[in-house]
Amino acid sequence: MSNFTPELLAPAGSLDKLIIAVLYGANAVYLGGQKYGLRQAAENFTDQELEEGVSFAHANGAKVFVVLNSFFHDKDFDSLNIFLKKLDDYGVDAVIVSDPGVIKYISENSQLEIHLSTQASCLNVEAAKLWKKLGVTRVVLGRETSIKDAALIKKEAGLEVEMFIHGSMCMAYSGHCVISNYTQGRDSNRGGCAHSCRFEYSFDDKDLESKKSYFMSSKDLEGIRLLQDFVDFEIDSLKVEGRMKSHLYAGTISKVYREALDYYDENGDFHSDNMKHWESELRKITHRAYTQASLVEPASDDSIYDEREHEDSLYTSIGTIRDVNKDAGFLLVEVKSFFNTGDTLEVLPFKGEPFEIVASNITSVSGKELTKTKPGTLVKIPYSPFATRWNLLRKRNLQ
Amino acid sequence: MKSVIYYEPDLDIQEVLKLGVSDIILSTTFFSRFGKLSRKQLNEALALLNDVEINVIFEWDLLLTNEDFKRCCLEFESLDLDRVDFFRALDPGVFSYLVSRNHKVHLLLDSGPFHNLQAIQSFLELGEGLVKRIVLSIELDQEELSVICDELDVEIEYLGYGQILLFYTPRSLVKPLYDAESTDNWLEVTANSEESPHKGFPVIENIHGTFMFNPKDHYVLEHVSSLDSLGVSHIKLDNRFFKNSLLASLLCEPEQAKNDLPRKTIRGFFHKNKSDALFKKLKNHRILRRDKNYIGQVIEVEKGECVGIYLRNTLEHAKDMNLTLITPEGKEKSVVVNDVRDANGSLFKSGKYGDIIFIPHVGGVSVKTNVYYDG
C-alpha cells in the first residue's frame, strides 16, 4: 500500500460554494476573481470575498488557488499588478495561469506559486519541462493525457501534476477552440465561451442529408473507478470541474471523492461495495452521460454526447440548511427548488450516509403555515438532531 | 513583403519563383494537421528544391500527447532534412525539442492562444536565439500588431489568405456520423449549427483528429502595404485550400482576385478586436457587491413581515442601523433599522459571516438585493 493520497481539488464558483466544498471534504478549492478568469458570466469573487474565502479555507485546513487563466492581450495586463498584490496579501496558495506572458509577469512581480492551467494544453514531457523553466511548479495537464503519461511527465519533468477526475469537458484541445470568437464576437479564451460545441449540427453532404448530431459535444468525465491508478501513479492533485454548477454538485462531488480517498487511507484499496455506492451518489447530481475520456486510452467514439443538453437527474437539489435551532425545533432552509408539506427530503451530512427527514410542517420565517415552498425563499421545517448548518438537501424525483 | 506558400506536388516551382515567393512550407501527413505529403513525396520535394533559391520550411503543427510525441520524434529523426532551413512548431514540447537539437525555429501562434508581447518574448528567451520568425495570431488587430512588431527583433508572419481554424480535437467526430464504417483517412463534411445563422462550417477529420473552420476565410491581401508598414515581414497564403492557379492573381492583383475565391472572406479581427466588449453584459453587475460597507444580501422577503439578510460580513452593532439597499434593478433604498432579529424571533445584537438576520419588511426590495451599512 502506498502512503500517497492525492489532493482533492474542488471548484468554488462563489463563497458559499467554497464553504460547502471545504466542509464536505475538499483539500483545496479553485476560484476566480472578477477579472482574468474564463468564466466571465459567473458570479466570481470580489476582493473581500476572496480574502474571506482564503481565511475560511485556511482555518479548515484547505488551500485556495486563484485562476488567472485567460489568454491575455497586451491591454489586459493593466491593473494585474494590483490584483497580484492582493492575492499575495490574502495568502492565496497558488495561481493557475495559462499564458506564458502572464507567468513571466507574475514571476517578476510576486512571490505567488504558479500552476499551469489545463488551458495551455500541456500534454508531453518536453512541454512540461519548458513550462518549468518559465517558473511553474505544477501542471494541470490537458485532458487528452493518460494517467500513465501524467506519471511520466511528473517523473521526467520534476513537476507536480494535476489531472481532471470529474466534470464537463471541452471536446477541443483546451485553448484551441475559438468558435465563439467568430460566431458570437466573444473571446472564448478570455471567458466568453458560448458553448457552441453543445449545439446540434446538420450536414450538407449527400450521405448525411438527414443526419443531425451533437457531434462536437463531449460526455462528462468520471474517474472514480480509476482512483487506484491515480494513487499508484502518484498523481498529486485530482481536480473536479464545475465552478458554474450548483451547491449540491459542489457538496456531493467533494463528499464522494473525500469518502473514497479516506477509505483508501484506512484500507489501502478502493475495492469495496462502497465503489457502487460512490458511483450511485455521483449519478444523483445533474450530469451528462459519463466517460473516462482519455484517462486510460485515447477517447473513442463513445465519448461523444450525442444528445441535447437536459436536466434529467435522479434527485433535485432542494436547498441548503442555513440555521439549526434545537430549542425552537426548526431547521431554516434556503429553498432552491420547491417542495411540499409531507415530502421526504434527504439530508447530505458532511460525513456518513445521507438520511431522510420529512417536511411534515413548513412555515415561513414569521411562522405562517405553508403547504408548499417557493425557490428563493427561507422556510422552517422540523428540527433534526443530525442536520447542521450548510448541510445540503435533495429530493428523489418520481420516475 | 515576402510571401510564404505551401508546397504541392503540382506546383510549378519556376512560376512560384517568378511570383517572388520567398518561402515554401512542406506539410506532411505525419507532422502537419492538414498535410498531404507522404514520406516519398516529401523526399521528392526536398530533392526538387535542392537547387532552388527558396527558403524551405518543415511544418510540425500538431499538439501531441507523450506517446504520439515519442512516435513523431522517432519518425523525425529518421528523415533526411538537410535541405530544410526552418522548422515550425505549435506545441511547446515540439518547440523545445527542436531548439534542443539546434534547429532554427518558426513559432506558430497563428491558430494558438498566445496574443501578447510578453508571451512571445518568453518563447524568444526559451528559444536561445534559434527562433527566427513568429507566425502571429490572426486575432491580433492592427494596433496590437504594430506594438508587437515594433518590439520584436525577429521576422513576423501573418496569414494573408487562408481558412480560419476554429476547433481542433484529437477525437474522431466525423466517422461516427456514417452508418457504414469508413477506412478513409481524410473526411470532409459541411456542418450547420442550429444556432442560427451559423451555417457552412467546413469540417475535416484525418489521422490527427477533427477540425472545424469558419465558413468565411481570412483575407487581408489588399492590406499588404499596411501590414508592411506595421512591420510584418512575411505574408502566408494557405494554398492547400484553393487552386494553385489562383496564386498569381492573389499575389499580383489581390483586390480583383477576391472575386474568384471559392468562399466568402472576412478581415477577421484585423481592424479591431472587440471580442471582450460583450463581457460586461454577461452578468448583472448590480447584484455584484461593492466591498465597502457591505453587510450582506437579501435572501428572503416575506411581504408585510420581514426581510432576511444573509450576513457576509461581521456585524458588530445590529441596532439603530442606517442601511442602504440596492436592488438587482439598481434601485436604492435607505432605511433606519431598530429591530433586528434572528430566525427564532429573538433580538439579534451582533453577528458574523453566515448568520441570517431579519429586519422589518421594506417595500420594493427583492431577493439578491445588496445591503450596505451607512452607520
Side-chain angles (χ1 to χ4, degrees):
Chain A
M1 173 191 166
S2 160
N3 289 324
F4 177 84
T5 311
E7 168 187 271
L8 174 59
L9 174 56
S14 67
L15 189 48
D16 284 0
K17 289 179 198 170
L18 178 149
I19 291 167
I20 287 166
V22 169
L23 291 176
Y24 276 98
N27 300 114
V29 291
Y30 63 99
L31 55 89
Q34 291 301 315
K35 286 168 79 176
Y36 313 119
L38 287 177
R39 299 286 182 273
Q40 286 292 334
E43 192 179 336
N44 293 321
F45 283 62
T46 66
D47 291 346
Q48 195 179 338
E49 284 174 317
L50 223 157
E51 188 175 14
E52 289 161 9
V54 173
S55 171
F56 179 87
H58 286 178
N60 287 276
K63 291 181 176 178
V64 175
F65 307 144
V66 175
V67 294
L68 298 166
N69 58 345
S70 72
F71 287 102
F72 282 42
H73 286 245
D74 282 315
K75 66 175 183 180
D76 299 324
F77 284 91
D78 295 349
S79 74
L80 176 60
N81 206 16
I82 298 166
F83 189 56
L84 293 178
K85 172 81 171 61
K86 285 178 183 167
L87 299 185
D88 252 339
D89 291 347
Y90 301 157
V92 161
D93 297 282
V95 286
I96 304 172
V97 186
S98 314
D99 187 310
V102 181
I103 292 171
K104 187 170 188 267
Y105 187 91
I106 294 171
S107 303
E108 289 168 358
N109 291 283
S110 84
Q111 298 298 312
L112 288 160
E113 190 175 316
I114 303 169
H115 297 175
L116 182 73
S117 167
T118 194
Q119 283 300 112
S121 276
C122 178
L123 305 165
N124 53 64
V125 172
E126 288 296 326
K129 284 180 180 171
L130 177 137
W131 292 111
K132 186 182 180 183
K133 277 189 202 165
L134 279 176
V136 309
T137 55
R138 177 189 286 191
V139 285
V140 187
L141 293 165
R143 287 179 174 93
E144 296 75 18
T145 313
S146 67
I147 299 171
K148 205 171 139 193
D149 271 357
L152 196 70
I153 290 168
K154 173 178 175 165
K155 189 178 160 205
E156 293 195 12
L159 283 165
E160 287 186 8
V161 290
E162 180 177 309
M163 296 187 82
F164 277 93
I165 189 169
H166 200 102
S168 301
M169 298 178 71
C170 287
M171 182 62 94
Y173 280 117
S174 290
H176 291 265
C177 174
V178 289
I179 302 176
S180 309
N181 303 42
Y182 287 89
T183 60
Q184 307 282 338
R186 284 160 46 175
D187 188 345
S188 55
N189 285 322
R190 283 188 287 176
C193 173
H195 303 281
S196 301
C197 57
R198 301 294 182 188
F199 285 97
E200 189 179 47
Y201 287 79
S202 60
F203 304 91
D204 287 343
D205 307 75
K206 198 177 69 180
D207 295 341
L208 298 172
E209 259 172 0
S210 56
K211 190 93 179 179
K212 287 188 173 181
S213 174
Y214 300 85
F215 77 123
M216 290 201 293
S217 180
S218 177
K219 287 181 181 172
D220 287 353
L221 179 67
E222 185 199 49
I224 193 154
R225 284 219 165 243
L226 299 171
L227 276 171
Q228 188 69 55
D229 290 347
F230 282 111
V231 171
D232 290 346
F233 284 104
E234 303 202 349
I235 305 306
D236 296 287
S237 181
L238 306 180
K239 184 173 205 164
V240 176
E241 178 278 343
R243 282 192 286 141
M244 301 282 275
K245 290 183 177 159
S246 68
H247 292 60
L248 184 64
Y249 176 91
T252 304
I253 291 283
S254 302
K255 178 180 168 66
V256 169
Y257 281 97
R258 173 81 280 131
E259 283 182 4
L261 292 167
D262 285 352
Y263 181 89
Y264 174 81
D265 275 344
E266 284 173 28
N267 301 282
D269 63 52
F270 296 97
H271 307 302
S272 74
D273 290 340
N274 287 338
M275 183 57 79
K276 283 180 191 160
H277 168 67
W278 296 326
E279 281 184 317
S280 77
E281 285 298 302
L282 292 177
R283 276 152 183 74
K284 290 175 184 172
I285 48 175
T286 304
H287 65 279
R288 302 179 189 91
Y290 285 131
T291 172
Q292 291 183 345
S294 301
L295 290 174
V296 180
E297 294 289 332
S300 60
D301 303 358
D302 67 4
S303 64
I304 299 169
Y305 182 66
D306 193 8
E307 286 182 44
R308 184 173 290 283
E309 299 278 272
H310 58 283
E311 292 288 311
D312 278 1
S313 62
L314 293 170
Y315 282 72
T316 298
S317 171
I318 289 300
T320 310
I321 296 175
R322 303 307 296 256
D323 201 3
V324 176
N325 194 317
K326 184 180 175 185
D327 296 336
F330 68 82
L331 305 175
L332 186 68
V333 176
E334 182 186 4
V335 180
K336 185 173 180 297
S337 302
F338 83 91
F339 61 96
N340 299 317
T341 305
D343 279 355
T344 299
L345 309 177
E346 273 189 22
V347 180
L348 205 61
F350 300 134
K351 286 191 171 185
E353 292 302 299
F355 59 90
E356 292 182 346
I357 56 172
V358 178
S360 54
N361 173 263
I362 308 174
T363 64
S364 70
V365 172
S366 65
K368 287 177 192 154
E369 293 279 337
L370 302 171
T371 54
K372 70 175 181 182
T373 63
K374 284 192 291 192
T377 60
L378 287 173
V379 298
K380 293 175 180 175
I381 60 173
Y383 172 76
S384 162
F386 305 109
T388 60
R389 185 191 275 197
W390 293 111
N391 275 173
L392 298 163
L393 291 169
R394 67 189 184 191
K395 189 175 85 168
R396 189 178 179 84
N397 294 330
L398 294 173
Q399 297 300 305
Chain B
M1 175 77 64
K2 293 174 178 171
S3 311
V4 185
I5 62 166
Y6 281 87
Y7 174 85
E8 300 265 302
D10 64 345
L11 204 60
D12 183 334
I13 295 295
Q14 294 311 317
E15 283 301 310
V16 163
L17 289 174
K18 279 184 205 159
L19 290 170
V21 171
S22 62
D23 296 36
I24 198 148
I25 306 168
L26 301 175
S27 172
T28 62
T29 50
F30 205 78
F31 292 91
S32 291
R33 293 179 291 192
F34 317 116
K36 285 186 172 171
L37 294 180
S38 64
R39 187 172 173 138
K40 184 169 170 264
Q41 286 171 314
L42 170 70
N43 289 333
E44 285 166 3
L46 288 167
L48 179 73
L49 295 166
N50 208 26
D51 299 321
V52 180
E53 286 276 316
I54 197 164
N55 285 322
V56 177
I57 302 167
F58 183 88
E59 184 179 69
W60 188 352
D61 65 352
L62 305 171
L63 293 175
L64 293 163
T65 59
N66 218 50
E67 283 297 308
D68 290 338
F69 188 85
K70 282 193 272 187
R71 258 196 299 275
C72 271
C73 290
L74 279 177
E75 177 73 10
F76 183 79
E77 282 157 21
S78 74
L79 297 173
D80 179 3
L81 298 171
D82 288 350
R83 172 63 187 94
V84 174
D85 299 292
F86 304 100
F87 296 81
R88 37 183 64 185
L90 171 71
D91 188 307
V94 174
F95 170 83
S96 195
Y97 172 86
L98 292 170
V99 168
S100 72
R101 273 144 190 83
N102 222 25
H103 291 303
K104 291 177 192 160
V105 177
H106 291 173
L107 179 63
L108 290 172
L109 304 180
D110 51 347
S111 67
F114 305 134
H115 309 118
N116 61 73
L117 184 61
Q118 301 217 40
I120 297 166
Q121 283 171 335
S122 297
F123 279 107
L124 290 177
E125 283 166 25
L126 292 163
E128 300 167 11
L130 289 164
V131 182
K132 302 300 177 190
R133 189 182 303 171
I134 305 290
V135 183
L136 284 178
S137 165
I138 56 170
E139 288 178 55
L140 294 170
D141 62 35
Q142 50 188 338
E143 199 181 322
E144 294 173 307
L145 280 170
S146 170
V147 171
I148 289 174
C149 292
D150 273 355
E151 293 291 330
L152 297 181
D153 197 18
V154 291
E155 293 175 341
I156 302 289
E157 183 180 313
Y158 189 74
L159 178 66
Y161 174 44
Q163 287 198 306
I164 298 169
L165 179 63
L166 299 181
F167 175 95
Y168 171 21
T169 179
R171 298 197 218 181
S172 158
L173 306 184
V174 176
K175 264 186 192 165
L177 294 171
Y178 293 93
D179 296 330
E181 221 168 272
S182 166
T183 51
D184 223 337
N185 277 333
W186 187 284
L187 294 169
E188 290 186 27
V189 295
T190 306
N192 307 306
S193 172
E194 64 175 329
E195 194 188 11
S196 177
H198 304 303
K199 299 195 184 306
F201 295 95
V203 180
I204 290 174
E205 181 186 316
N206 60 27
I207 58 166
H208 301 302
T210 307
F211 307 86
M212 186 163 96
F213 300 88
N214 198 48
K216 294 179 185 173
D217 298 339
H218 193 256
Y219 191 89
V220 292
L221 290 177
E222 70 269 54
H223 301 287
V224 161
S225 57
S226 304
L227 285 162
D228 196 24
S229 63
L230 292 172
V232 173
S233 58
H234 292 72
I235 193 101
K236 184 171 90 173
L237 284 78
D238 193 347
N239 51 317
R240 292 172 300 180
F241 298 103
F242 62 84
K243 288 178 186 157
N244 290 320
S245 56
L246 282 171
L247 269 175
S249 58
L250 285 166
L251 286 167
C252 305
E253 299 166 315
E255 283 285 0
Q256 280 170 291
K258 218 171 161 182
N259 303 323
D260 302 325
L261 301 178
R263 274 197 303 274
K264 289 183 178 170
T265 60
I266 53 171
R267 285 188 304 256
F269 297 109
F270 178 64
H271 278 323
K272 191 74 191 161
N273 185 334
K274 293 192 277 190
S275 58
D276 59 345
L278 288 170
F279 290 168
K280 53 181 177 286
K281 294 180 183 169
L282 292 179
K283 59 186 167 191
N284 184 352
H285 287 259
R286 293 190 198 99
I287 63 171
L288 288 179
R289 75 193 230 187
R290 298 190 310 246
D291 281 342
K292 196 180 174 198
N293 298 334
Y294 183 72
I295 291 181
Q297 196 171 63
V298 171
I299 191 173
E300 158 75 0
V301 178
E302 194 175 344
K303 207 171 177 183
E305 296 288 345
C306 63
V307 169
I309 300 169
Y310 168 28
L311 287 187
R312 298 175 79 171
N313 215 333
T314 303
L315 184 62
E316 288 178 353
H317 302 290
K319 203 180 171 208
D320 299 332
M321 296 186 293
N322 291 305
L323 300 180
T324 297
L325 296 93
I326 304 179
T327 70
E329 295 77 33
K331 288 180 195 157
E332 285 196 27
K333 293 237 165 198
S334 293
V335 291
V336 179
V337 177
N338 300 310
D339 186 32
V340 182
R341 294 182 182 270
D342 65 16
N344 195 29
S346 305
L347 276 175
F348 189 93
K349 291 176 185 165
S350 64
K352 60 182 186 315
Y353 185 98
D355 289 342
I356 296 173
I357 62 170
F358 296 88
I359 64 172
H361 181 252
V362 180
V365 162
S366 61
V367 169
K368 289 198 181 289
T369 293
N370 280 328
V371 184
Y372 299 88
Y373 181 79
D374 291 335

